[in-house]
Amino acid sequence: MTDPFQRLSLNTITTKNWTLPDALDGAARAGIPAVGLWRDRVAEAGVETAAKIVRDAGLRVSSLCRGGFLTAADDDGIARAVADNRAALEEAATLGTDALIMVVGGLPDGSRDLPGARARVADRLADLVPHALDCGVRLVLEPLHPMFAADRAVLSTLDQALDLAAPHPADAVGVVIDTFHVFWDPGLAEAVARAGREGRIASYQVCDFNLPIAADALLSRGLMGDGVIDFATITAMVDAAGYSGDVEVEIFNAEVWATPGPEVLTRLKTRFAELVAPHLTR
Amino acid sequence: MTDPFQRLSLNTITTKNWTLPDALDGAARAGIPAVGLWRDRVAEAGVETAAKIVRDAGLRVSSLCRGGFLTAADDDGIARAVADNRAALEEAATLGTDALIMVVGGLPDGSRDLPGARARVADRLADLVPHALDCGVRLVLEPLHPMFAADRAVLSTLDQALDLAAPHPADAVGVVIDTFHVFWDPGLAEAVARAGREGRIASYQVCDFNLPIAADALLSRGLMGDGVIDFATITAMVDAAGYSGDVEVEIFNAEVWATPGPEVLTRLKTRFAELVAPHLTR
């Protein structure tokens, strides 16, 4: 069994106000061995430079956030989405991660056609798979909480993500299990087991669901222990499904963002030790 | 085929500021033939009096809102839930409706155990079924949007409601399809068809999902046409599944509540005519 702390990754949105060098330095000082990166902060530094400073810091990149936004119905929108995701796959490869997290996108303006948007996601995924294989990077589908079904991701459940992945090789298309987005699902245990059997679990992201829901619902993502999620049960499911990769802490939260980064990392490690690490056996 | 307007029902939360007599008078003046009532407004009038003024107004009661809140884990909480729901079944019978809408309840304070809470809902349902049959009133399970899974209803999908109903006779336990709560579900078409085959559809409630989500998420319920829901497709599903009962308009929305009742009813009828009625064939 690996020391669970060797599987801890800081998704850098958690320390949103830090630049990439700040975040890498902060993670390294806190003894966190991996980071999940965001494309905007990588672009600020430049991809090649980012890759070098990650290596110099002795860190791993657990994932790149994010590709996706595949639901455009017009030719220009489709072409832009494909080009942008091809670039993101290349950035992920340069950064040394095999996971590009995909938020698939919501309904185009004025549309109410969820099945149509889902069909376009499937089409774009097929367009992107060959380049993903060439890059050695997986397209990692992220089911988002159903409150975002219309405006952010028409992909709402883990089973739906697995169905979408099914036509493609497991090394081209995977799924991420993000506790905030899936904890409510009455079919979660079966879906996680299925994801394991099908070799699709590419990432595990932990984050609580805080109540009441924040005015900007996405900012209801809380530090583990601050909300309603049972991390013991979900972590044990993911563990039993065979996942042995990095565990990213990914928090969007105004209060966390207003807290100095080093303090956030201290709290995060404490909560990870209490609530998540005891349930990791691999 | 019935005139679709003969199937229109005003759920009286839509005109929240009206007392029961106000709402009955308003519905009758607007030519709306049915009402979905709330227990608090019924209690203000007294159940027997309420039943009489409904009859005198020449209206039907399409449902009573609401029973449920079945997730208590302590003996006192369980006894209170059973007693309250038995009373609600009797009130529904007195009011002449066979549908008691059930919002099953969220996690008890401090609990994070969704499967445990769901198991208690199943247990309480079994406790209540004999009295439902005696009263001639169905316990109508309402799956709520997953954003309420922790604090309001651990029942989140139509399939989950049908699984919960399955051990019981269809005339004791039904389901309500509320567009706001289920529109996001990638399995909706199959679940609605299943609900029809299993004889479980006891109510159809229409209401839009407005974006951005309101600060109090429940108040994101909007007038049909104001949000992201495809009423044509969902109404056609419910129709194809054989449902021929009342269609309740049930809106929780600060702006709607601030609008004079008669104006709300005028708008509601217009939107119903445009977006829902054309897809009702029974």
Side-chain angles (χ1 to χ4, degrees), chain B:
Chain B
M1 175 182 157
T2 315
D3 169 8
F5 271 87
Q6 292 310 309
R7 296 175 58 186
L8 175 59
S9 173
L10 170 67
N11 183 296
T12 57
I13 201 74
T14 306
T15 49
K16 182 187 166 79
N17 296 319
W18 273 348
T19 62
L20 182 69
D22 291 341
L24 297 175
D25 185 57
R29 282 173 192 271
I32 296 174
V35 286
L37 300 183
W38 281 69
R39 291 180 73 198
D40 55 346
R41 289 296 198 187
V42 168
E44 279 173 11
V47 183
E48 298 289 348
T49 304
K52 181 173 185 313
I53 58 176
V54 169
R55 278 194 307 273
D56 291 350
L59 297 170
R60 260 191 329 276
V61 180
S62 51
S63 76
L64 180 63
C65 294
R66 57 196 183 183
F69 301 96
L70 303 174
T71 54
D74 62 299
D75 289 346
D76 275 5
I78 291 170
R80 272 197 306 272
V82 170
D84 185 57
N85 280 282
R86 288 175 63 94
L89 286 164
E90 292 158 17
E91 290 163 28
T94 301
L95 292 165
T97 177
D98 64 357
L100 176 65
I101 305 292
M102 303 287 284
V103 171
V104 303
L107 295 169
D109 275 354
S111 170
R112 293 179 171 86
D113 178 14
L114 288 171
R118 290 170 184 146
R120 291 193 297 279
V121 170
D123 290 346
R124 295 296 82 70
L125 207 57
D127 292 342
L128 290 166
V129 159
H131 198 57
L133 290 168
D134 286 347
C135 291
V137 175
R138 283 168 127 183
L139 300 155
V140 179
L141 299 172
E142 180 158 22
L144 255 58
H145 193 287
M147 64 188 162
F148 306 115
D151 62 349
R152 196 175 296 264
V154 296
L155 179 57
S156 305
T157 69
L158 188 53
D159 265 318
Q160 190 190 356
L162 293 169
D163 291 345
L164 196 53
H168 306 291
D171 56 348
V173 183
V175 299
V176 46
I177 297 168
D178 179 311
T179 53
F180 175 90
H181 291 306
V182 301
F183 81 99
W184 62 270
D185 187 346
L188 186 63
E190 287 170 31
V192 170
R194 175 185 167 200
R197 281 195 309 277
E198 298 179 0
R200 300 283 180 183
I201 308 179
S203 175
Y204 178 44
Q205 295 180 330
V206 293
C207 156
D208 216 328
F209 190 98
N210 285 0
L211 285 177
I213 295 172
D216 176 351
L218 203 58
L219 304 192
S220 297
R221 293 179 69 98
L223 194 64
M224 298 83 76
D226 286 352
V228 296
I229 292 180
D230 175 0
F231 288 97
T233 299
I234 300 181
T235 302
M237 282 177 198
V238 172
D239 188 75
Y243 182 69
S244 60
D246 291 320
V247 181
E248 275 188 22
V249 179
E250 186 194 31
I251 297 171
F252 296 61
N253 183 297
E255 194 191 325
V256 170
W257 289 344
T259 303
E263 192 181 325
V264 170
L265 299 196
T266 300
R267 280 199 236 162
L268 177 165
K269 289 197 296 178
T270 304
R271 299 295 179 87
F272 179 80
E274 287 172 5
L275 297 168
V276 180
H279 312 286
L280 296 172
T281 69
R282 293 171 193 277

Side-chain angles (χ1 to χ4, degrees), chain A residues 161-251:
Chain A
L162 293 169
D163 291 345
L164 196 53
H168 306 292
D171 56 348
V173 184
V175 299
V176 46
I177 297 167
D178 179 310
T179 53
F180 175 89
H181 291 304
V182 301
F183 81 100
W184 60 271
D185 186 346
L188 186 63
E190 286 169 32
V192 170
R194 175 185 167 198
R197 281 196 309 276
E198 297 179 1
R200 299 284 179 182
I201 308 179
S203 175
Y204 179 43
Q205 295 180 329
V206 293
C207 157
D208 216 328
F209 190 98
N210 286 0
L211 285 178
I213 294 171
D216 175 352
L218 204 59
L219 304 192
S220 298
R221 293 180 69 97
L223 193 64
M224 300 82 78
D226 286 351
V228 297
I229 292 181
D230 175 0
F231 288 96
T233 299
I234 300 181
T235 302
M237 282 178 197
V238 173
D239 187 76
Y243 182 70
S244 60
D246 290 320
V247 180
E248 275 189 22
V249 179
E250 186 194 31
I251 297 170

